[in-house]
Amino acid sequence: MADFSYYIFCAMLLGGALVVLLSRGYVNAAMGMLCSMLGAAGLMVLMQCYFLAFVMVSVYAGSVLVLFVFVVMLIGDVKENSSIWRKIGIVGLWVVLGAFVGWVSPMLSQAAAGLSKTTEVVFLSQAKNYGLVLMTEFMLPFQIAGALLLAAMIGVMVVAKNPSRKKARRELV
Amino acid sequence: MSYLINQTATCMPALLGTADCSYADMALFIVLKVVFALAAIIVIMCFAALSVVAERKVCAYIQGRYGPNRTAIPIIAAIPLVGNFLKKNGLMQLVADGLKFLLKEDPLPAHVSKLWYLAAPIMSLSPILICACLIPFGVWWDSGGAAHPLAAANIDVSLLAVLAIGALGVYGAIMAGWSSNSKFPYMGAIRASAQVISYELTMALAAMSVVLYMGSVSDSPLSLFEIASAQEQSWFFMTQPLAALLFIVALFAETNRLPFDMAESETDLVSGFHTEYGSFKFGLFFVGEYGHVALGSALFIILFLGAWNPLPYISYPESWGWISTLLGFITFLVKISAMIFFFIWVRWTLPRFRYDQVMALCWKCLMPLALANLVFYMAIAAI
């Protein structure tokens, strides 16, 4: 049963990625990405990381992707007509990269297991455990990520600030 | 029920592939879970169906009319007392409406993007049905005296899960608007996406102040069952009135109910994102909206209105066993009905906002208030 759902979620994840690569319209690509994210969340549920899974759904599928679709709808859906060779190339790249990740990830996970201080397996299903680890062991990466996001946010505000108001004031003066 | 708890303990690891259990046990476990999930879905869907009738009746009452009171199904209407009761209260109108959705021609406009046009109604209804399985409808006690929720799935982050999965319903509106390939649905979809993203923040921040309090009294503060169980004494709307107000306002916006129904404002967008839909596909959107209302009511009741406890400082005693469970369940359903009545009442009382007013209200008023509220409770929790 677990194997069965594992393969379904993997198919969602990889199939969604393939749709993102191959689809002509932006909205189709965004929906492929949604499918991919839901697949990833499903895999996290299988690993009993419920908190991470639902944060994934809430933040990425529920908010970020809605923003993507919103922007796509504002600027209009463009249909790209790419050649068949390009598509074949993309699928080839998808297969090669997938195989590479499949080859590398066991080594990476072994290395990560070697680096990790905790010897016993701790399931971070409880939100409280997750918060504690985030605020103690991984405090520095957490703060750096927060600072990066803050910088990005301020940057967006500066870029998006309405220039006409300043111009109007200058003209008044 | 105790049997089910034992089965969960043995079969859940087996389902996840970390332990073994016999195939018969596992099959029985899966069948039971499916039955419970269906029961939860049926409760929410009944509310969705009945609130359609309630909407028409309450609206008629507010406007000084009778509302639907003529529709009669031949044989049932002839039963003395019952038949007349059903007819006068418009309950047979419900059957007529449902049959109309099923039996009318199912149009598929030529200019739509077919896949997403067909998928959109499903995308708008299915998240609600998933969320219904996570709502605890009551509490029961096993022979050891431990309390368990009356829910199909009891996970320790169910509040987050309901908020996350419920938010996916907006894709139904967006894809309906986009795939219809027509101006009015398109504008409805754009409004829906902007509005839902904005109000989701307020909603989550308001719920977060409850979670903050729960963090100091419980080990799994994000569990709806724990939040409900913590309200046997005072209810959270008494200790956190501002959070409750913000949450209910955001809930109105999330469910696209009238003061905020920008996505389908009939006066300027014909019918908004589902203008191009007809027959049963429209019916799915319609049921989805009311299902969302019922689910949102249930969430608000669990978070702020004491869940299955009848009054503040009064709860059904554990010693009554299953009688308490039944009374709690009925109390919960009565509260959901009252909340739905409140939704309808507001709809027929307040006029619709203008679109810029909706956005200004969220970003300039509700968001700062929600943040201030959160910081206030953070300070209290720190002290």
Side-chain angles (χ1 to χ4, degrees), chain B residues 129-141:
Chain B
L129 303 185
I130 298 174
C131 287
C133 302
L134 294 165
I135 296 284
F137 286 94
V139 58
W140 63 277
W141 295 271

Side-chain angles (χ1 to χ4, degrees), chain A residues 57-71:
Chain A
V57 173
S58 174
V59 173
Y60 287 101
S63 310
V64 173
L65 204 62
V66 174
L67 274 179
F68 279 12
V69 177
F70 183 68
V71 170

Side-chain angles (χ1 to χ4, degrees), chain B residues 215-232:
Chain B
S216 59
V217 296
S218 156
D219 267 341
S220 46
L222 282 169
S223 150
L224 285 175
F225 178 63
E226 294 280 327
I227 292 173
S229 316
Q231 298 181 68
E232 283 187 354

Side-chain angles (χ1 to χ4, degrees), chain B residues 198-218:
Chain B
S198 316
Y199 278 88
E200 214 162 71
L201 283 173
T202 310
M203 199 166 166
L205 283 176
M208 204 55 74
S209 69
V210 171
V211 175
L212 258 182
Y213 169 74
M214 286 302 298
S216 59
V217 296
S218 156

Side-chain angles (χ1 to χ4, degrees), chain B residues 156-339:
Chain B
D156 66 341
V157 288
S158 46
L159 172 63
L160 187 69
V162 168
L163 288 179
I165 297 173
L168 293 184
V170 70
Y171 282 109
I174 293 177
M175 291 322 286
W178 181 77
S179 67
S180 292
N181 191 15
S182 150
K183 282 259 168 7
F184 290 128
Y186 192 78
M187 290 177 72
I190 287 196
R191 287 180 179 191
S193 52
Q195 179 182 330
V196 165
I197 297 174
S198 316
Y199 278 88
E200 214 162 71
L201 283 173
T202 310
M203 199 166 166
L205 283 176
M208 204 55 74
S209 69
V210 171
V211 175
L212 258 182
Y213 169 74
M214 286 302 298
S216 59
V217 296
S218 156
D219 267 341
S220 46
L222 282 169
S223 150
L224 285 175
F225 178 63
E226 294 280 327
I227 292 173
S229 316
Q231 298 181 68
E232 283 187 354
Q233 297 302 315
S234 64
W235 296 357
F236 284 145
F237 91 96
M238 297 155 72
T239 49
Q240 313 197 352
L242 183 59
L245 181 70
L246 292 169
F247 193 88
I248 189 102
V249 172
L251 196 61
F252 270 94
E254 284 275 301
T255 52
N256 279 331
R257 291 294 294 182
L258 196 74
F260 298 99
D261 76 337
M262 291 298 118
E264 53 165 303
S265 57
E266 292 91 346
T267 41
D268 46 336
L269 293 186
V270 188
S271 184
F273 61 91
H274 53 62
T275 306
E276 302 281 344
Y277 282 84
S279 158
F280 201 64
K281 292 201 281 292
F282 168 72
L284 284 184
F285 277 121
F286 201 56
V287 170
E289 184 188 328
Y290 285 101
H292 213 139
V293 169
L295 188 86
S297 310
L299 195 59
F300 183 72
I301 289 162
I302 291 174
L303 278 176
F304 294 104
L305 287 185
W308 42 82
N309 300 314
L311 284 169
Y313 302 102
I314 298 173
S315 58
Y316 298 116
E318 189 190 321
S319 51
W320 292 3
W322 65 270
I323 298 175
S324 286
T325 303
L326 192 63
L327 285 174
F329 180 62
I330 292 169
T331 312
F332 194 70
L333 296 191
V334 168
K335 279 182 182 176
I336 294 183
S337 314
M339 277 298 294

